[in-house]
Amino acid sequence: MEIDALYSGIITEHSRSERNKRHLANPTVVRQGLNPSCGDELSLELRCEDGVITDASFVGVGCAISQASASMMTDIIRGKSREEAGALCRAFLDMIRGRELDDATLDSLEDAVALQGVSKMPARVKCATLPWHTLNGAIDDLT
Ligand code: FES
C-alpha cells in the first residue's frame, strides 16, 4: 500500500470514529476552541490526576481533518503528563509548519503523523491545528 493511501485510511478512520467523541464524567478542565476561518468549534475535555492526563475527549463539529486530528490527539495524550502533552503539542505544530522533526519525535506523534501532508495545504492548517491549539490553552488551565 502506498504511504499516502495508508495515511488517508488512518485519517478517514479517525474522522469517523466516535471512540474519543464524547463527554467525560467529572472533567478537570473543559476548553473551547474555534477555527475562525470557518466558525467550527471544538470542546476539549481533560481529566487530570497528580499531573497526569488520565482521560481526554472532545465534542463539536468540524471537517474530517479537524475531527481526525482531535481523535488522534486525545489518543496520544491519554496517560501523558502535562509537560509531555505540551511537548507533543509543540512537535505537532512544528510538523504542520513544515519543520524537520527527528524520527523519535515523529514516532511520538503516533497516528497524527498521517496529517504531515497538511503542511503543504495552507487552507487546511487551521483545521488540523484547532484541537492542538485548544490543548495548549487547556494545559495552561491545568496549572
Ligand atoms: Fe472548519 Fe476544517 S473546515 S475545522
Side-chain angles (χ1 to χ4, degrees):
M1 186 187 284
E2 293 288 328
I3 195 86
D4 284 354
L6 173 68
Y7 280 177
S8 111
I10 293 170
I11 293 167
T12 302
E13 186 188 316
H14 273 281
S15 72
R16 291 181 180 158
S17 172
E18 297 286 311
R19 186 162 42 91
N20 298 318
K21 196 168 181 178
R22 56 189 163 84
H23 286 290
L24 292 187
N26 304 317
T28 310
V29 63
V30 176
R31 181 83 180 196
Q32 313 293 330
L34 170 73
N35 179 347
S37 52
C38 64
D40 288 339
E41 289 180 332
L42 176 136
S43 176
L44 176 66
E45 303 186 359
L46 303 179
R47 190 177 318 121
C48 196
E49 290 164 35
D50 299 327
V52 174
I53 298 167
T54 55
D55 205 356
S57 70
F58 71 98
V59 292
V61 291
C63 63
I65 295 282
S66 72
Q67 301 293 288
S69 185
S71 174
M72 293 163 174
M73 185 189 78
T74 47
D75 269 349
I76 298 166
I77 62 174
R78 206 170 286 124
K80 301 293 194 299
S81 68
R82 285 181 58 250
E83 292 74 19
E84 289 168 331
L88 288 164
C89 208
R90 287 190 291 280
F92 183 84
L93 295 174
D94 279 349
M95 179 182 80
I96 296 296
R97 288 179 189 120
R99 300 207 176 121
E100 287 264 322
L101 300 183
D102 61 39
D103 288 347
T105 306
L106 283 173
D107 284 350
S108 73
L109 290 173
E110 301 181 24
D111 281 0
V113 168
L115 291 169
Q116 193 168 22
V118 171
S119 64
K120 298 185 180 64
M121 304 161 67
R124 308 318 299 275
V125 164
K126 285 196 172 69
C127 305
T129 57
L130 169 61
W132 298 83
H133 286 305
T134 310
L135 173 62
N136 248 338
I139 289 172
D140 288 345
D141 289 348
L142 286 171
T143 57

